[in-house]
Amino acid sequence: MCCQLGLSLFTFHSEMLAWASAQIHCQFHASESRVALPAQGTKQDVQAESDTVLIPSRGERGQCVLDTPPKILFCDLRLDPGESKTYSYSEVVPTDGPPSFRGQAVKYVYKLTIGCQRVNSPIKLLRVPFRVLVLHGMPEPPFPQDEEVAPSNPFLEEEEGSRRDTRPLERALDMLMITTSRRCPYMFNITNVRGKVAKFCIFKTVYRLGEDIIGTFTFSEGDIPCLQYSVSLQSEEEVQEQYQRRPGQAVSVTAHARHLESCLHTASSHFSLPVPLNVTPGFTTDIVTLRWRLHFEFVTAREPVEAPVVLQNQSEVTVWTGAEHVDVDTFSWDLPIKVLPTNPTLASYVSQFTGTNSINI
C-alpha cells in the first residue's frame, strides 16, 4: 500500500525554514468500559515546544501501534517573498497493520503527520487522516518481484519501477475478484418447533464492499404460515477473552442495512442488501475480532390462516380483511458471511470531494 502527498510552501516575506518531515502512524484507542489493557508505565513526553524532536503522535489519544520511519522533506530552506516550493512524499504502509476501524470497543485511526519548524520557532504539526483497507491471506508471489513473467509489449514504453509497484495491488485485486466471483447455490430449510417455514437460497457468502447481497425465500414449500420476515446486515465486534473488561462480555452488534417484508400468502420473495462502502471488512488483531453475518427474524402463525378466495366469474371488487387476532411465534437465525475490501478507487467514492489542509508556521 502506498501513500502519496504533495506539499506546497508559500510566503509573503523572506523566511528561513529549518526543516520539515513526514511520517505515517496508526493510533489505537480502546473503550475503558469494554477493554482491559495491561497496565503500562507512564511515558514522559520529552518534546517541549521549542525542541527539534518530531513525535508525530504527541498529544494524540491512545497508543501508537504502527509508525513508519520519518522522511525529511527539506532542510535549511529559504523562501523569498512570493516564492513557493512544492515537495512530494510517498510511503509504503506496512501490510501487517490493522485496517482503519471505528468500533464500539476499539478504534484504529491512520494519520499522516507533517512537522515543520522555522528557525528559533516552535514545531508545527499537520495531521491528515486517511483510510486503510487490509486484505488478509494474500499469498506470496511465486516469482521474485523483479522478474517479469508476463509477455511484454516492445512497442509500449513503461517504467520498470512503476510496473513493479503496481504488482501487489494487481495481485490483490485479482485475488478479490476470484474469491468473490465464485457462485454456488446454498440451500437452507427454515424451520421452527412446529415445522418447516420456508426454503432459503443464497448464491455466495463472500462479498466485497459495495456489492449487493441477494437471497430468495420459497414459502410455498413450507407448512407453517409466515406473516413477516426481516433480514439485517450486521457486524460483530468481539474483544478477545484475555482483554475483556468483564467475564462473558457480550459481543457488540451493529446493523448496517435491513429489509422488512410482510409475506402472508406469498409463494416466494427475495431481498437485496447493499454492503456499504464505508464499513470495515472483517479482520482480527490481538485485541479484537470483527465478523459479519446476516440476521434473520421470522414471525409465524401458530394456526393455519385462511387465504382469500376469488371466484373465476366474479365481476365485483372484493376486499379481504385479515384476522383481527393471530397467535404468533417469533424466532431468529444468523448466517455468517465474509466481507472483504474492494478496489481502493471504488472505496474512495464515499468521499467525492478533495480536501486541502494547511498550517501557519
Side-chain angles (χ1 to χ4, degrees):
M1 294 172 286
C2 183
C3 177
Q4 295 183 338
L5 167 77
L7 176 65
S8 298
L9 301 173
F10 180 82
T11 181
F12 292 100
H13 52 275
S14 182
E15 287 290 350
M16 188 70 181
L17 301 180
W19 57 268
S21 68
Q23 186 176 5
I24 291 174
H25 60 101
C26 177
Q27 291 296 121
F28 165 74
H29 180 261
S31 171
E32 297 182 356
S33 62
R34 298 173 182 267
V35 182
L37 295 176
Q40 295 182 348
T42 56
K43 297 181 180 180
Q44 184 69 25
D45 190 351
V46 298
Q47 180 180 10
E49 286 295 324
S50 59
D51 286 342
T52 58
V53 179
L54 174 64
I55 303 179
S57 59
R58 177 174 60 91
E60 293 272 41
R61 297 180 59 190
Q63 306 174 12
C64 181
V65 296
L66 179 148
D67 57 357
T68 60
K71 289 187 176 181
I72 301 299
L73 301 178
F74 62 80
C75 288
D76 298 332
L77 174 65
R78 183 178 183 84
L79 291 177
D80 294 327
E83 184 181 6
S84 64
K85 293 285 187 180
T86 300
Y87 296 88
S88 297
Y89 165 82
S90 64
E91 182 60 271
V92 176
V93 181
T95 58
D96 57 350
S100 299
F101 177 62
R102 293 182 177 271
Q104 300 183 35
V106 302
K107 293 181 176 63
Y108 293 100
V109 181
Y110 282 84
K111 293 184 179 180
L112 170 63
T113 298
I114 303 170
C116 189
Q117 184 181 29
R118 293 169 56 188
V119 176
N120 299 324
S121 298
I123 296 175
K124 297 295 185 178
L125 298 179
L126 172 64
R127 295 188 175 98
V128 181
F130 63 95
R131 183 185 181 191
V132 172
L133 298 174
V134 177
L135 177 60
H136 295 280
M138 190 176 75
E140 293 295 328
F143 51 87
Q145 289 286 344
D146 56 354
E147 180 182 349
E148 186 67 32
V149 297
S152 58
N153 190 335
F155 300 101
L156 296 178
E157 294 183 0
E158 186 177 8
E159 293 292 336
E160 178 63 27
S162 62
R163 184 167 63 247
R164 184 164 51 248
D165 292 340
T166 59
R167 287 176 187 168
L169 178 59
E170 291 176 353
R171 291 199 310 272
L173 294 179
D174 289 342
M175 176 185 173
L176 271 176
M177 290 301 298
I178 293 174
T179 304
T180 58
S181 297
R182 296 171 181 166
R183 293 180 177 270
C184 178
Y186 295 89
M187 298 291 186
F188 301 89
N189 289 321
I190 309 298
T191 62
N192 62 6
V193 294
R194 300 180 184 275
K196 183 176 179 180
V197 177
K199 176 181 287 186
F200 173 66
C201 176
I202 192 170
F203 290 94
K204 63 178 187 175
T205 58
V206 182
Y207 300 89
R208 301 189 306 272
L209 298 181
E211 274 196 291
D212 290 334
I213 303 174
I214 300 175
T216 61
F217 291 98
T218 305
F219 295 104
S220 60
E221 298 186 14
D223 304 321
I224 308 300
C226 185
L227 306 180
Q228 179 179 280
Y229 76 90
S230 67
V231 187
S232 300
L233 175 62
Q234 298 179 345
S235 60
E236 299 177 295
E237 180 186 359
E238 182 178 12
V239 179
Q240 307 294 1
E241 185 177 359
Q242 63 270 29
Y243 295 107
Q244 293 181 2
R245 177 64 66 179
R246 297 174 301 277
Q249 183 172 299
V251 176
S252 301
V253 178
T254 303
H256 302 274
R258 186 169 184 258
H259 175 89
L260 175 66
E261 186 171 330
S262 298
C263 54
L264 180 60
H265 305 313
T266 300
S268 62
S269 178
H270 73 279
F271 67 88
S272 177
L273 291 177
V275 181
L277 284 170
N278 61 342
V279 300
T280 301
F283 71 95
T284 298
T285 65
D286 295 337
I287 298 176
V288 70
T289 295
L290 183 71
R291 294 184 296 265
W292 288 85
R293 71 183 187 185
L294 292 177
H295 179 71
F296 299 82
E297 295 182 356
F298 300 91
V299 179
T300 59
R302 295 182 179 179
E303 301 293 338
V305 179
E306 184 178 353
V309 178
V310 179
L311 301 179
Q312 294 183 354
N313 299 326
Q314 185 172 350
S315 59
E316 297 181 359
V317 177
T318 60
V319 178
W320 178 77
T321 303
E324 296 182 358
H325 177 77
V326 178
D327 293 330
V328 299
D329 293 317
T330 60
F331 66 98
S332 61
W333 172 53
D334 294 324
L335 176 64
I337 63 172
K338 289 184 179 181
V339 174
L340 302 180
T342 188
N343 191 313
T345 303
L346 180 61
S348 65
Y349 290 162
V350 177
S351 178
Q352 293 288 349
F353 62 91
T354 58
T356 301
N357 298 273
S358 62
I359 54 174
N360 295 322
I361 304 174

